Amino acid sequence: MSRTVEDWRAFLSVVLQSKTEELRMMGYGDTTEDVVWQCLKQKVWKGNPEKRLYQVVEDILHLSTNIYMSYLTVESYKEDDLMASIAALTENKGQE
């Protein structure tokens, strides 16, 4: 039976926990299940496609550190841009 990957989320905590622990052992200490899930949604599934449970489990367990690192890098740039934008806005507001 196929469902969207988001529909399978409730059944996958053990698999996500396993992947999270693996990534932590590889040096990604701040890794959480939610971050791994968001990485998969953005980099592997590119949204919320329909898949079978075994396919979703396989995708989680085969998530490479290269893909995960790429995701973290892009997210950190987004945060930096947001912080820079906020700083610029607050500086300009003080000058008015």
Side-chain angles (χ1 to χ4, degrees):
M1 166 187 356
S2 290
R3 294 185 184 181
T4 64
V5 291
E6 201 62 51
D7 290 341
W8 288 120
R9 176 76 162 89
F11 301 97
L12 298 167
S13 70
V14 172
V15 179
L16 286 166
Q17 181 180 17
S18 174
K19 189 59 170 184
T20 300
E21 289 173 9
E22 176 188 333
L23 290 167
R24 285 181 183 158
M25 288 190 312
M26 296 180 88
Y28 298 99
D30 293 338
T31 301
T32 66
E33 292 176 24
D34 289 334
V35 173
V36 171
W37 185 258
Q38 289 306 315
C39 172
L40 288 159
K41 283 179 66 175
Q42 289 183 25
K43 291 287 190 177
V44 176
W45 301 318
K46 298 185 184 359
N48 192 23
E50 284 201 6
K51 290 186 165 252
R52 295 182 180 271
L53 180 58
Y54 77 88
Q55 293 171 313
V56 177
V57 170
E58 181 179 47
D59 288 343
I60 294 169
L61 294 177
H62 287 111
L63 176 64
S64 73
T65 55
N66 291 339
I67 291 172
Y68 187 68
M69 185 62 183
S70 170
Y71 169 77
L72 292 178
T73 302
V74 169
E75 290 302 305
S76 73
Y77 284 132
K78 286 181 185 176
E79 285 182 24
D80 286 348
D81 288 345
L82 176 62
M83 295 308 290
S85 297
I86 291 171
L89 286 173
T90 55
E91 286 174 15
N92 288 339
K93 198 169 199 162
Q95 294 175 357
E96 292 176 356

